[in-house]
Amino acid sequence: MKSSPPLSNGLALLITAGAAATFFILLMMLPDHHTNRTSSPSLSGESKGSGESPAALFASRCSQCHALPALMHRSPEEWRILVLKMNRYMNQTGHLSMTEDQAREVTRYIVENQK
Ligand code: HEC
């Protein structure tokens, strides 16, 4: 068996380094780096998301893992617990999540619009 020519090793290394650099640059360009959400929920500076309507929050947050859920009837308390659980899932899996206030707004939106 012949060993592969040295050039291909060098090339492979270059490509790997290039890919790593590209990935790193893309990462740096991501707009919202999950900042600490427990502190200062009312500061207006928080990337985007503070100005979203409850309907928009529901549509964007609740369709990340499954189809937007049908709003079948549940008690407000059941929805509150469910939304909190879903929000915890979002945090655990690195999805876009909600502040406490946003979770409360989405819960109210669901309760008001359920069938
Ligand atoms: C991070 C992923 C993720 C996101 C985002 C998410 N869900 Fe879910 N959802 C799940 C998983 C996983 C299940 C099934 C396991 C469970 O019920 O705990 C589920 C189940 C459900 C169910 C069925 C539960 C039941 O008991 O019948 C409803 C309703 C639901 N989600 C609503 C929502 C709403 C409303 C939002 C937005 C606030 C949301 N989901 C966002 C992961 C997610």
Side-chain angles (χ1 to χ4, degrees), residues 32 46-53 57 61 97 99 102 105:
D32 43 0
E46 295 254 82
S47 48
K48 50 191 175 190
S50 20
E52 288 175 89
S53 70
L57 278 172
R61 300 303 192 277
S97 64
T99 63
Q102 288 174 327
E105 281 175 34

Side-chain angles (χ1 to χ4, degrees), residues 65-107:
C65 302
H66 45 61
L68 214 50
L71 300 183
M72 53 195 262
H73 196 87
R74 291 171 204 257
S75 72
E77 179 63 7
E78 280 176 309
W79 275 119
R80 191 180 70 81
I81 290 165
L82 191 127
V83 169
L84 289 179
K85 181 171 77 171
M86 295 300 148
N87 203 27
R88 194 163 60 236
Y89 287 164
M90 294 177 217
N91 282 318
Q92 287 168 347
T93 56
H95 286 82
L96 217 53
S97 64
M98 301 173 287
T99 63
E100 257 179 62
D101 283 350
Q102 288 174 327
R104 212 175 298 128
E105 281 175 34
V106 167
T107 305

Side-chain angles (χ1 to χ4, degrees), residues 33-54:
H33 233 224
H34 216 27
T35 42
N36 189 1
R37 82 212 140 73
T38 49
S39 64
S40 68
S42 58
L43 284 185
S44 55
E46 295 254 82
S47 48
K48 50 191 175 190
S50 20
E52 288 175 89
S53 70

